[in-house]
Protein backbone atom coordinates (compact mmCIF):
# COMPACT_ATOMS: atom_id res chain seq x y z
CA UNK A 1 0.00 0.00 0.00
CA UNK A 2 1.32 3.37 -0.96
CA UNK A 3 2.22 5.78 1.78
CA UNK A 4 0.63 9.22 1.85
CA UNK A 5 3.99 10.76 0.95
CA UNK A 6 4.35 8.55 -2.12
CA UNK A 7 0.77 9.30 -3.17
CA UNK A 8 1.26 13.03 -2.75
CA UNK A 9 4.47 12.90 -4.77
CA UNK A 10 2.76 11.13 -7.66
CA UNK A 11 -0.31 13.40 -7.66
CA UNK A 12 1.39 16.75 -7.19
CA UNK A 13 4.63 16.15 -9.10
CA UNK A 14 6.75 19.29 -9.27
CA UNK A 15 4.50 21.13 -6.84
CA UNK A 16 5.39 18.55 -4.19
CA UNK A 17 9.09 19.07 -4.90
CA UNK A 18 8.62 22.82 -4.55
CA UNK A 19 6.92 22.21 -1.21
CA UNK A 20 9.86 20.14 0.00
CA UNK A 21 12.29 22.89 -1.03
CA UNK A 22 10.16 25.49 0.78
CA UNK A 23 10.04 23.39 3.95
CA UNK A 24 13.80 22.80 3.83
CA UNK A 25 14.55 26.51 3.44
CA UNK A 26 12.18 27.40 6.25
CA UNK A 27 14.00 24.99 8.60
CA UNK A 28 17.36 26.34 7.44
CA UNK A 29 16.31 29.93 8.17
CA UNK A 30 15.27 28.88 11.67
CA UNK A 31 18.70 27.36 12.35
CA UNK A 32 20.52 30.41 11.01
CA UNK A 33 18.29 32.67 13.10
CA UNK A 34 19.31 30.65 16.17
CA UNK A 35 23.02 31.07 15.32
CA UNK A 36 22.55 34.78 14.57
CA UNK A 37 20.81 35.41 17.87
CA UNK A 38 23.52 33.74 19.94
CA UNK A 39 26.45 35.34 18.09
CA UNK A 40 24.95 38.83 18.17
CA UNK A 41 24.40 38.51 21.92
CA UNK A 42 27.89 37.12 22.66
CA UNK A 43 30.13 39.21 20.42
CA UNK A 44 30.79 42.89 21.00
CA UNK A 45 28.72 45.40 19.06
CA UNK A 46 28.25 49.14 19.22
CA UNK A 47 24.71 49.01 20.58
CA UNK A 48 25.42 47.00 23.72
CA UNK A 49 27.89 47.02 26.59
CA UNK A 50 30.83 44.70 25.99
CA UNK A 51 31.37 41.91 28.50
CA UNK A 52 34.53 41.49 30.54
CA UNK A 53 35.58 38.61 28.28
CA UNK A 54 35.12 40.67 25.12
CA UNK A 55 37.06 43.62 26.54
CA UNK A 56 39.86 41.29 27.58
CA UNK A 57 39.90 39.72 24.10
CA UNK A 58 40.24 43.22 22.65
CA UNK A 59 43.29 43.81 24.86
CA UNK A 60 44.81 40.54 23.64
CA UNK A 61 44.09 41.42 20.01
CA UNK A 62 45.79 44.82 20.36
CA UNK A 63 48.88 43.72 22.27
CA UNK A 64 49.37 40.78 19.90
CA UNK A 65 49.59 43.28 17.02
CA UNK A 66 52.59 44.81 18.78
CA UNK A 67 54.11 41.38 19.43
CA UNK A 68 53.73 40.45 15.77
CA UNK A 69 55.30 43.71 14.65
CA UNK A 70 58.32 43.22 16.90
CA UNK A 71 58.71 39.66 15.57
CA UNK A 72 59.11 40.80 11.94
CA UNK A 73 62.56 40.44 10.30
CA UNK A 74 63.02 44.23 10.22
CA UNK A 75 60.46 46.02 12.37
CA UNK A 76 59.75 49.56 11.22
CA UNK A 77 60.70 52.15 13.84
CA UNK A 78 57.67 53.64 15.57
CA UNK A 79 55.28 51.29 13.80
CA UNK A 80 51.72 51.13 15.15
CA UNK A 81 51.65 54.27 17.27
CA UNK A 82 47.86 54.37 17.02
CA UNK A 83 47.72 50.74 18.18
CA UNK A 84 49.85 51.59 21.22
CA UNK A 85 47.63 54.56 22.07
CA UNK A 86 44.52 52.42 21.82
CA UNK A 87 46.06 49.63 23.86
CA UNK A 88 46.98 51.97 26.72
CA UNK A 89 43.40 53.18 26.75
CA UNK A 90 42.00 49.63 26.66
CA UNK A 91 44.30 48.39 29.45
CA UNK A 92 43.56 51.40 31.66
CA UNK A 93 39.82 50.98 31.18
CA UNK A 94 39.90 47.24 31.79
CA UNK A 95 42.08 47.45 34.91
CA UNK A 96 39.87 50.21 36.32
CA UNK A 97 36.83 47.94 35.95
CA UNK A 98 38.28 44.51 36.66
CA UNK A 99 41.85 44.82 37.90
CA UNK A 100 45.04 43.32 36.49
CA UNK A 101 44.96 40.01 34.58
CA UNK A 102 47.42 37.99 32.54
CA UNK A 103 46.16 39.82 29.42
CA UNK A 104 46.88 43.28 30.82
CA UNK A 105 50.26 42.16 32.17
CA UNK A 106 51.22 40.88 28.72
CA UNK A 107 49.93 44.11 27.20
CA UNK A 108 52.16 46.16 29.50
CA UNK A 109 55.10 43.91 28.64
CA UNK A 110 54.41 44.43 24.93
CA UNK A 111 54.37 48.21 25.29
CA UNK A 112 57.55 48.19 27.41
CA UNK A 113 59.25 46.00 24.78
CA UNK A 114 58.06 48.44 22.13
CA UNK A 115 59.64 51.36 24.00
CA UNK A 116 62.84 49.36 24.50
CA UNK A 117 63.00 48.67 20.76
CA UNK A 118 62.41 52.32 19.74
CA UNK A 119 64.43 54.07 22.43
CA UNK A 120 63.56 57.42 23.95
CA UNK A 121 61.95 58.94 20.89
CA UNK A 122 59.87 62.09 21.51
CA UNK A 123 56.92 60.48 19.66
CA UNK A 124 56.63 58.10 22.62
CA UNK A 125 56.23 60.77 25.27
CA UNK A 126 52.52 59.95 25.55
CA UNK A 127 53.32 56.55 27.06
CA UNK A 128 52.96 56.68 30.89
CA UNK A 129 55.89 55.60 33.04
CA UNK A 130 53.88 52.65 34.40
CA UNK A 131 53.81 51.16 30.89
CA UNK A 132 57.58 51.49 30.42
CA UNK A 133 58.70 48.99 33.08
CA UNK A 134 60.44 46.22 31.16
CA UNK A 135 59.83 42.84 32.77
CA UNK A 136 60.35 39.25 31.76
CA UNK A 137 59.00 37.59 29.76
CA UNK A 138 59.21 40.13 26.96
CA UNK A 139 56.90 40.46 23.96
CA UNK A 140 58.95 38.12 21.77
CA UNK A 141 61.00 34.96 22.24
CA UNK A 142 64.31 34.36 20.46
CA UNK A 143 64.67 30.87 18.99
CA UNK A 144 67.71 29.59 17.12
CA UNK A 145 67.46 27.50 13.98
CA UNK A 146 69.33 24.75 15.83
CA UNK A 147 66.69 24.69 18.54
CA UNK A 148 63.95 24.43 15.90
CA UNK A 149 65.73 21.59 14.09
CA UNK A 150 66.25 19.67 17.33
CA UNK A 151 62.64 20.14 18.46
CA UNK A 152 61.24 18.84 15.18
CA UNK A 153 63.17 15.56 15.23
CA UNK A 154 60.24 13.73 16.72
CA UNK A 155 59.01 11.62 13.83
CA UNK A 156 55.84 13.66 13.47
CA UNK A 157 54.81 12.06 10.19
CA UNK A 158 54.84 8.63 11.82
CA UNK A 159 53.01 10.02 14.84
CA UNK A 160 50.32 11.71 12.71
CA UNK A 161 49.80 8.67 10.50
CA UNK A 162 49.43 6.46 13.58
CA UNK A 163 46.35 8.40 14.70
CA UNK A 164 43.02 6.75 13.93
CA UNK A 165 39.46 7.26 15.04
CA UNK A 166 39.08 4.44 17.55
CA UNK A 167 35.72 2.89 18.36
CA UNK A 168 36.92 0.21 20.75
CA UNK A 169 37.81 1.04 24.35
CA UNK A 170 38.56 -1.05 27.40
CA UNK A 171 35.91 0.68 29.51
CA UNK A 172 38.39 1.65 32.24
CA UNK A 173 38.04 5.14 33.78
CA UNK A 174 40.48 7.91 32.89
CA UNK A 175 42.41 10.11 35.30
CA UNK A 176 41.15 13.68 34.89
CA UNK A 177 44.68 15.04 35.35
CA UNK A 178 45.76 13.29 32.16
CA UNK A 179 42.94 14.92 30.25
CA UNK A 180 43.86 18.32 31.67
CA UNK A 181 47.44 17.73 30.54
CA UNK A 182 46.14 17.20 27.01
CA UNK A 183 44.07 20.38 27.33
CA UNK A 184 47.27 22.25 28.18
CA UNK A 185 48.81 20.90 24.98
CA UNK A 186 45.70 21.98 23.03
CA UNK A 187 46.25 25.55 24.18
CA UNK A 188 49.28 25.70 21.86
CA UNK A 189 46.92 25.62 18.86
CA UNK A 190 47.01 28.75 16.69
CA UNK A 191 44.09 31.14 17.16
CA UNK A 192 43.07 34.39 15.54
CA UNK A 193 45.09 37.22 17.11
CA UNK A 194 45.93 34.86 20.01
CA UNK A 195 42.43 35.26 21.46
CA UNK A 196 42.32 31.62 22.61
CA UNK A 197 38.58 30.96 22.35
CA UNK A 198 38.83 27.17 22.80
CA UNK A 199 36.99 25.68 25.77
CA UNK A 200 36.28 22.08 26.80
CA UNK A 201 33.74 20.46 29.13
CA UNK A 202 35.07 17.20 30.54
CA UNK A 203 32.58 14.44 31.33
CA UNK A 204 33.86 11.61 33.53
CA UNK A 205 31.97 8.96 35.45
CA UNK A 206 29.47 6.62 33.80
CA UNK A 207 26.39 8.73 34.52
CA UNK A 208 27.87 11.93 33.05
CA UNK A 209 29.35 10.11 30.05
CA UNK A 210 26.09 8.34 29.18
CA UNK A 211 24.14 11.54 29.66
CA UNK A 212 26.40 13.41 27.22
CA UNK A 213 26.33 10.63 24.65
CA UNK A 214 22.53 10.50 24.76
CA UNK A 215 22.49 13.78 22.80
CA UNK A 216 24.72 12.40 20.02
CA UNK A 217 23.65 9.53 17.80
CA UNK A 218 26.99 8.56 16.23
CA UNK A 219 28.40 6.61 19.18
CA UNK A 220 26.24 3.50 19.13
CA UNK A 221 28.09 0.27 19.76
CA UNK A 222 31.12 1.81 21.48
CA UNK A 223 30.14 4.92 23.45
CA UNK A 224 29.29 2.87 26.53
CA UNK A 225 32.98 1.85 26.73
CA UNK A 226 34.39 5.41 26.69
CA UNK A 227 36.32 6.47 29.80
CA UNK A 228 35.50 10.16 29.22
CA UNK A 229 33.57 12.38 26.84
CA UNK A 230 34.73 15.88 25.96
CA UNK A 231 32.53 18.66 24.62
CA UNK A 232 34.73 21.17 22.78
CA UNK A 233 33.36 24.70 22.46
CA UNK A 234 34.50 28.14 21.37
CA UNK A 235 33.79 31.30 23.38
CA UNK A 236 32.14 33.74 20.95
CA UNK A 237 32.70 36.63 23.35
CA UNK A 238 36.29 36.75 22.11
CA UNK A 239 35.08 37.92 18.68
CA UNK A 240 33.92 41.39 17.87
CA UNK A 241 32.75 41.90 14.29
CA UNK A 242 30.19 40.60 11.82
CA UNK A 243 32.96 39.25 9.58
CA UNK A 244 34.17 37.08 12.47
CA UNK A 245 30.83 35.27 12.75
CA UNK A 246 32.34 31.97 11.55
CA UNK A 247 35.71 32.31 13.28
CA UNK A 248 34.61 30.21 16.25
CA UNK A 249 34.47 27.13 13.99
CA UNK A 250 38.03 27.72 12.79
CA UNK A 251 39.54 28.43 16.21
CA UNK A 252 37.46 25.75 17.90
CA UNK A 253 38.35 23.20 15.22
CA UNK A 254 42.07 23.86 15.57
CA UNK A 255 41.79 23.57 19.34
CA UNK A 256 39.85 20.30 19.02
CA UNK A 257 42.43 18.79 16.66
CA UNK A 258 45.33 19.73 18.93
CA UNK A 259 43.45 18.27 21.90
CA UNK A 260 42.93 15.09 19.92
CA UNK A 261 46.65 14.86 19.16
CA UNK A 262 47.52 15.58 22.79
CA UNK A 263 45.39 12.64 23.91
CA UNK A 264 46.90 10.47 21.19
CA UNK A 265 50.38 11.38 22.46
CA UNK A 266 49.36 10.02 25.87
CA UNK A 267 48.29 6.73 24.35
CA UNK A 268 44.52 7.20 24.60
CA UNK A 269 42.09 6.21 21.89
CA UNK A 270 39.82 8.98 20.63
CA UNK A 271 36.91 9.40 18.27
CA UNK A 272 35.52 12.74 17.17
CA UNK A 273 31.73 12.83 17.44
CA UNK A 274 30.22 15.45 15.17
CA UNK A 275 27.77 17.97 16.55
CA UNK A 276 25.62 18.69 13.50
CA UNK A 277 22.61 19.36 15.70
CA UNK A 278 19.51 21.48 15.25
CA UNK A 279 18.65 24.29 17.63
CA UNK A 280 16.37 22.17 19.83
CA UNK A 281 18.99 19.48 20.49
CA UNK A 282 21.72 22.08 20.96
CA UNK A 283 19.63 23.87 23.57
CA UNK A 284 18.79 20.60 25.32
CA UNK A 285 22.44 19.66 25.75
CA UNK A 286 23.36 23.17 26.88
CA UNK A 287 20.67 23.01 29.51
CA UNK A 288 21.79 19.56 30.68
CA UNK A 289 25.38 20.68 31.31
CA UNK A 290 24.97 24.42 31.91
CA UNK A 291 26.92 25.29 28.76
CA UNK A 292 26.40 29.04 28.31
CA UNK A 293 24.92 30.51 25.14
CA UNK A 294 28.12 32.40 24.36
CA UNK A 295 29.95 29.10 23.82
CA UNK A 296 29.49 27.52 20.40
CA UNK A 297 29.62 23.71 20.52
CA UNK A 298 32.23 22.57 17.98
CA UNK A 299 32.39 18.80 18.47
CA UNK A 300 32.23 16.03 21.03
CA UNK A 301 35.01 13.52 21.58
CA UNK A 302 34.93 10.02 23.03
CA UNK A 303 38.14 9.12 24.88
CA UNK A 304 39.21 5.79 26.30
CA UNK A 305 41.93 3.33 27.16
CA UNK A 306 42.50 0.93 24.27
CA UNK A 307 42.43 -2.89 24.53
CA UNK A 308 45.44 -5.06 23.68
CA UNK A 309 44.44 -5.09 20.02
CA UNK A 310 41.55 -3.59 18.09
CA UNK A 311 40.20 -2.88 14.62
CA UNK A 312 39.98 0.59 13.05
CA UNK A 313 38.30 1.71 9.83
CA UNK A 314 40.76 1.93 6.94
CA UNK A 315 39.39 5.37 6.01
CA UNK A 316 41.28 5.66 2.72
CA UNK A 317 42.42 9.15 1.74
CA UNK A 318 42.47 10.50 -1.81
CA UNK A 319 45.80 11.25 -3.44
CA UNK A 320 47.52 14.55 -2.74
CA UNK A 321 46.75 15.69 -6.28
CA UNK A 322 43.03 15.59 -5.45
CA UNK A 323 43.54 17.89 -2.47
CA UNK A 324 46.32 20.32 -3.34
CA UNK A 325 46.21 22.90 -6.13
CA UNK A 326 49.61 24.42 -6.87
CA UNK A 327 49.66 27.98 -8.19
CA UNK A 328 52.97 29.07 -9.68
CA UNK A 329 54.51 31.25 -12.37
CA UNK A 330 54.44 29.88 -15.89
CA UNK A 331 58.10 29.39 -16.88
CA UNK A 332 57.32 28.31 -20.44
CA UNK A 333 55.06 31.20 -21.42
Amino acid sequence: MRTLKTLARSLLGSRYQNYLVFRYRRKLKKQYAYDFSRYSEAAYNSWSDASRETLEAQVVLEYHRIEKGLALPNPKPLFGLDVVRGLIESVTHFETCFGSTLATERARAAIASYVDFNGNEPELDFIPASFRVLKEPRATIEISRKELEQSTKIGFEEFARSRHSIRNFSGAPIDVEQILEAVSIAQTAPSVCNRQSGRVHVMVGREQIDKALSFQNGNRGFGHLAGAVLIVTSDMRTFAHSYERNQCWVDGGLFAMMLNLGLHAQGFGTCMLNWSADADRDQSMRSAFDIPDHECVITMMAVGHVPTSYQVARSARPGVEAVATVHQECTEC
Side-chain angles (χ1 to χ4, degrees):
M1 183 176 179
R2 288 185 172 183
T3 64
L4 290 176
K5 183 180 292 187
T6 302
L7 182 61
R9 185 183 295 112
S10 62
L11 292 176
L12 298 177
S14 62
R15 282 182 293 178
Y16 181 74
Q17 293 299 320
N18 291 338
Y19 165 72
L20 292 179
V21 171
F22 167 77
R23 190 173 67 174
Y24 166 76
R25 289 179 176 173
R26 184 175 60 183
K27 289 182 178 179
L28 190 60
K29 287 179 180 178
K30 178 182 177 181
Q31 305 307 320
Y32 271 112
Y34 173 66
D35 294 339
F36 168 80
S37 175
R38 290 178 43 250
Y39 182 77
S40 61
E41 286 294 325
Y44 170 77
N45 51 68
S46 60
W47 60 86
S48 68
D49 294 329
S51 66
R52 169 179 176 152
E53 290 75 15
T54 299
L55 290 174
E56 191 168 30
Q58 184 66 25
V59 170
V60 173
L61 184 153
E62 291 175 354
Y63 85 64
H64 192 56
R65 293 174 68 181
I66 298 175
E67 289 182 335
K68 291 187 293 185
L70 292 173
L72 292 174
N74 297 294
K76 182 180 178 181
L78 299 175
F79 72 89
L81 283 173
D82 289 341
V83 175
V84 175
R85 291 180 186 275
L87 180 56
I88 292 173
E89 182 179 344
S90 296
V91 170
T92 302
H93 173 65
F94 184 91
E95 290 184 337
T96 299
C97 296
F98 306 109
S100 177
T101 66
L102 177 63
T104 60
E105 290 176 5
R106 297 315 308 146
R108 288 178 175 275
I111 294 175
S113 298
Y114 179 87
V115 173
D116 183 62
F117 167 75
N118 285 288
N120 295 319
E121 297 290 340
E123 290 88 347
L124 304 182
D125 289 345
F126 69 90
I127 300 178
S130 61
F131 283 84
R132 294 171 175 263
V133 181
L134 191 59
K135 297 181 180 179
E136 298 294 341
R138 300 192 180 196
T140 59
I141 303 170
E142 183 174 350
I143 300 174
S144 69
R145 184 172 64 185
K146 183 177 180 181
E147 288 177 309
L148 176 62
E149 291 172 348
Q150 289 178 339
S151 66
T152 55
K153 292 178 179 178
I154 58 174
F156 180 74
E157 179 180 354
E158 181 180 0
F159 171 77
R161 294 188 185 281
S162 70
R163 190 211 64 81
H164 299 277
S165 292
I166 296 175
R167 298 172 178 85
N168 188 352
F169 307 121
S170 69
I174 296 177
D175 185 350
V176 173
E177 290 302 317
Q178 291 180 288
I179 295 177
L180 296 181
E181 184 177 341
V183 173
S184 177
I185 294 173
Q187 289 181 289
T188 66
S191 68
V192 60
C193 299
N194 195 40
R195 279 178 274 178
Q196 301 292 324
S197 73
R199 304 288 185 268
V200 59
H201 298 259
V202 182
M203 309 298 164
V204 291
R206 196 72 260 155
E207 182 179 349
Q208 290 293 302
I209 292 171
D210 291 343
K211 183 178 178 182
L213 292 177
S214 69
F215 294 99
Q216 205 276 343
N217 57 13
N219 64 87
R220 294 174 184 171
F222 71 94
H224 64 288
L225 295 174
V229 167
L230 312 182
I231 301 175
V232 179
T233 69
S234 175
D235 190 340
M236 295 186 292
R237 295 175 301 180
T238 61
F239 307 115
H241 306 287
S242 60
Y243 52 77
E244 292 187 311
R245 65 193 180 280
N246 294 320
Q247 191 63 42
C248 62
W249 301 106
V250 179
D251 277 28
L254 289 168
F255 178 82
M257 190 66 242
M258 193 66 79
L259 177 57
N260 189 277
L261 291 176
L263 291 164
H264 178 51
Q266 292 181 325
F268 290 114
T270 62
C271 185
M272 294 284 201
L273 305 172
N274 81 76
W275 188 245
S276 299
D278 61 19
D280 292 338
R281 181 174 293 189
D282 190 74
Q283 288 175 323
S284 295
M285 189 175 74
R286 290 176 182 283
S287 177
F289 295 108
D290 294 324
I291 299 175
D293 277 347
H294 57 253
E295 291 185 25
C296 179
V297 179
I298 305 300
T299 188
M300 295 174 68
M301 194 185 309
V303 187
H305 294 281
V306 297
T308 304
S309 63
Y310 50 91
Q311 298 288 322
V312 298
R314 187 175 296 278
S315 301
R317 267 57 171 179
V320 173
E321 66 280 358
V323 176
T325 300
V326 180
H327 301 262
Q328 61 185 0
E329 296 291 340
C330 180
T331 58
E332 299 179 355
C333 297

